[in-house]
Amino acid sequence: MQSIDLLAFLERVQETALHTFGDQNFDPKYYVDLSLNHNLSITVDAFEKLSKSGTGSISAHDFNVFIDSYFNSAGSDVVYHEPADFVIEPDGFLPKVKNHDVRNFGLEVHSLWKNLSRKVSDSVHDKSELHTLLPLPYSMMIPGSRFREVYYWDSYWVIRGLLASKMYDSAKAIVENLLSLIDTYGYVLNGARAYYTNRSQPPLLSSMVHAIYECTGDVELVITALPQLLKEYNFWNSDIHSVTIKDAEGCEHRLSRYYARWNQPRPESSTTDKKSASSLTNDFEKQRFYREVASAAESGWDFSTRWMRNTAEFTTLSTTSVLPVDLNAYILKMELDIAALAKATGDHDTSGKFLKASETRKHSINSIFWNEKMGQWLDYWIDPDVTCKAESQNWNALNQNHNVYASNFIPLWINLFNSDTLLVEKLTKSLKTSGLVLEAGIATSLIRSGEQWDFPNGWAPIQHMIVEGLVRSGSEQARGFAEEIAVNWIRTNYAVYKTTGVMHEKFDVEKSGQFGGGGEYTPQTGFGWSNGVVLAFLEEFGWSEEMKIYCR
């Protein structure tokens, strides 16, 4: 209850800050990341005594004095942590990288783990009611910049980078923190803040555990994680996340969707969401819109035309009416991961159960999402009024979303698909002719909407999953195409790093050497998953001594 009251108050502070300072360079998240110097009632009382204008603004001087007196700065409740497993150049680090400049770049990216390593301060553990930050038990890696806390799906690519850096303890600590969230909430939160408890993010925890186990053979971690992975699996396959579609033959297919348990403005973006909803005419429409916004945030693709009924109108977000290709691919991977991890512990009954579930889901993914003409899997629009998994809908080809998104190729990451030689050939041809593959990498979509998960932005996790899927196919042709994408991605990361001195969250893939933009916040740097994917690509493909690193 205390954290809810605290959040409601911080949203008021956020709104007052907007009225006081205006929207130029305004970041609403900053104000809900503040921690209190005094208890909530004292702070609220001091706030109420501030002299306000009719529009709700306060003089900049008075507001700054209030903030300085009653709050600690955003980010002060996460403190630097020296990672004990960091060494300047680990044994066996990037053995295939022969080029001097590229090796130095890899070492510089590796060194950034020290910059991003944090732990929760003692004050969060001792007086959690003064903080929106959650009291995680172990050290962590933050993405960087305004993202001062752990994020769920980012962590997978951070871990892949840490494994390339031989930082196994740091990787394990991330997983243990996420497991602790399942202990407390029943699922992994979007991020480790009180305002993220209404939603999750793409479910990749099993992939993290599996990657660490493959690298270290840590069976104890697997034994610890399995019960929690089963809880998370149930979360994504029951209640409001589950939808049943009946195909043309009358067979029923249970698939999953994103659905945040929330119908209010997101606290971290409250002023932004209220402004977006201002054109809506009644409370019911606004509450529906807020749920769709939060559900899009649960997808990790916040925001994209993928979730809009009308790609030109943001208020037509309908995330809960989409059965997403990628989410169901992640859950299929979860089934395969759990099967493999259970087998490693000797639990053959659970392993067999999840292998069977994976075959069922593979069939459902092909039945509902596959489009033979396009050679891609397509998101599927469902009836927006469906709220119960017991209700089934009849499949209709017209309900497939025929717009081209990088997510249409994510199932390629899963072994059940990339092991099919003919399918890989078809997907490779489709990807090459899709318009998504550009000079610096794979674009997220073909629609220039101004949203950050649309054209011309490319994102590290998308590059990695598609490239790794092509590599795992075993096809030399597919591997060659994958390496071309990876090399171009490394080049653009390198060029931007050399120009700006920092690693970026996203990139403009139309032209090499440009970082990305768009969306509801300014471009961020650091950056966890970008660092991880560069290291993973360099580990996989290496870099010959004579090959140039500079953009063409």
Side-chain angles (χ1 to χ4, degrees), residues 29-30 32-37 67-68 70-80 118-125 130-133 140 142 145-149 193:
K29 184 178 183 293
Y30 178 85
V32 293
D33 288 357
L34 296 171
S35 58
L36 305 186
N37 272 330
I67 293 293
D68 291 344
Y70 288 90
F71 296 91
N72 300 300
S73 62
S76 62
D77 44 11
V78 286
V79 297
Y80 178 73
R118 300 287 190 277
K119 67 177 181 179
V120 173
S121 69
D122 291 341
S123 63
V124 179
H125 292 283
L130 304 181
H131 304 263
T132 60
L133 189 71
M140 57 191 179
I142 61 171
S145 297
R146 75 196 287 266
F147 301 117
R148 310 170 184 95
E149 52 283 310
R193 290 275 179 186

Side-chain angles (χ1 to χ4, degrees), residues 13 28 33 35 38 43 90 118 125 165 241 254 265 389 410 451:
V13 173
D33 288 357
S35 58
H38 308 277
T43 308
R118 300 287 190 277
H125 292 283
S165 290
H241 284 109
R254 280 187 58 194
K389 68 177 181 179
I410 294 304
E451 300 299 340

Side-chain angles (χ1 to χ4, degrees), residues 294-504:
S295 299
E298 183 171 66
S299 79
W301 284 52
D302 45 335
F303 294 103
S304 169
T305 53
R306 267 185 85 189
W307 316 120
M308 301 178 199
R309 291 280 186 181
N310 175 357
T311 59
E313 178 50 60
F314 186 66
T315 57
T316 66
L317 274 175
S318 302
T319 319
T320 62
S321 296
V322 178
L323 285 178
V325 168
D326 47 359
L327 172 60
N328 285 281
Y330 301 144
I331 297 173
L332 171 57
K333 189 169 189 306
M334 191 192 307
E335 290 162 345
L336 292 168
D337 290 337
I338 291 173
L341 295 170
K343 184 178 179 181
T345 68
D347 185 352
H348 296 287
D349 287 344
T350 298
S351 179
K353 173 186 171 184
F354 277 87
L355 278 177
K356 184 177 180 180
S358 71
E359 290 292 342
T360 299
R361 189 173 297 269
K362 175 191 174 184
H363 177 61
S364 295
I365 287 172
N366 282 334
S367 297
I368 304 304
F369 299 130
W370 180 251
N371 185 288
E372 181 66 25
K373 183 178 179 181
M374 292 179 65
Q376 302 169 25
W377 294 274
L378 306 181
D379 292 337
Y380 187 84
W381 289 103
I382 61 173
D383 183 339
D385 296 324
V386 169
T387 57
C388 175
K389 68 177 181 179
E391 302 175 34
S392 65
Q393 302 183 35
N394 293 323
W395 185 84
N396 185 334
L398 297 177
N399 288 0
Q400 288 187 330
N401 184 345
H402 286 72
N403 290 324
V404 177
Y405 296 97
S407 52
N408 297 1
F409 296 91
I410 294 304
L412 179 61
W413 189 42
I414 314 303
N415 289 344
L416 286 180
F417 295 114
N418 62 44
S419 58
D420 183 331
T421 303
L422 293 177
L423 178 62
V424 171
E425 288 178 4
K426 185 172 294 185
L427 286 164
T428 302
K429 180 180 179 181
S430 179
L431 181 58
K432 284 181 175 180
T433 59
S434 67
L436 293 173
V437 183
L438 299 171
E439 180 178 327
I442 302 170
T444 312
S445 82
L446 299 181
I447 300 172
R448 195 186 292 270
S449 68
E451 300 299 340
Q452 64 172 351
W453 284 86
D454 274 319
F455 188 90
N457 284 344
W459 294 78
I462 302 299
Q463 319 300 312
H464 182 259
M465 286 185 284
I466 293 175
V467 164
E468 189 163 77
L470 291 167
V471 168
R472 286 177 174 173
S473 72
S475 159
E476 286 301 314
Q477 181 185 14
R479 182 181 176 87
F481 183 38
E483 185 168 6
E484 180 183 328
I485 295 168
V487 165
N488 290 338
W489 184 255
I490 293 166
R491 280 184 170 137
T492 203
N493 276 258
Y494 177 85
V496 171
Y497 179 76
K498 287 300 181 183
T499 303
T500 65
V502 288
M503 292 290 285
H504 281 254

